[in-house]
């Protein structure tokens, strides 16, 4: 299983300078930490700061890795309760283009 630092670095690589999301997003891994993506400004910033976000996705690190690796479908994960979305669901929907 990847460490929070490895997940954060991987997210930085996927997001790049400007992913076009135009919003803030937080992945909440519970006791395993936070990855916050500020894609509202350019260059985009990925950190482990627990800051407010337009959309928060609550998911375990295991499920996140499966999602990022293409082994878990986001819609299926949501329907099965493996990920929960708080805030602007439209932002979460745009993520498929980032992870695609």
């Amino acid at each position: 299983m990847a460490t929070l630092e490895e997940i954060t670095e991987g997210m930085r690589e996927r997001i790049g300078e400007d992913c076009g999301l135009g919003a803030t997003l937080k992945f909440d891994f519970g006791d395993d930490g936070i990855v916050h993506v500020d894609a509202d400004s350019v260059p985009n910033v990925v950190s482990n700061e627990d800051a407010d976000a337009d959309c928060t996705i609550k998911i375990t690190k295991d499920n996140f890795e499966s999602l990022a690796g293409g082994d878990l479908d986001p819609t299926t994960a949501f329907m099965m309760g493996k990920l929960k979305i708080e805030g602007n669901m439209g932002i979460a929907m745009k993520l498929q283009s980032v992870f695609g």
Side-chain angles (χ1 to χ4, degrees):
M1 182 163 65
T3 64
L4 184 63
E5 291 75 25
E6 290 168 337
I7 290 172
T8 305
E9 190 52 43
M11 189 72 74
R12 280 190 188 108
E13 290 172 16
R14 285 177 186 247
I15 297 294
E17 287 285 307
D18 184 9
C19 67
L21 201 57
T24 55
L25 173 72
K26 178 166 55 174
F27 290 92
D28 183 347
F29 302 121
D31 292 339
D32 290 324
I34 300 278
V35 174
H36 186 271
V37 178
D38 183 350
D40 207 15
S41 59
V42 177
N44 296 173
V45 177
V46 179
S47 70
N48 298 115
E49 180 184 347
D50 188 6
D52 288 339
D54 299 318
C55 178
T56 299
I57 297 176
K58 294 186 174 191
I59 188 169
T60 65
K61 275 188 2 182
D62 281 346
N63 285 334
F64 176 82
E65 286 184 71
S66 295
L67 198 68
D71 298 323
L72 179 63
D73 177 70
T75 305
T76 303
F78 179 75
M79 299 302 259
M80 293 175 67
K82 291 185 176 188
L83 74 82
K84 294 181 174 54
I85 300 170
E86 295 176 356
N88 187 334
M89 189 175 270
I91 295 167
M93 301 300 278
K94 289 182 185 176
L95 273 183
Q96 290 187 329
S97 63
V98 175
F99 283 104

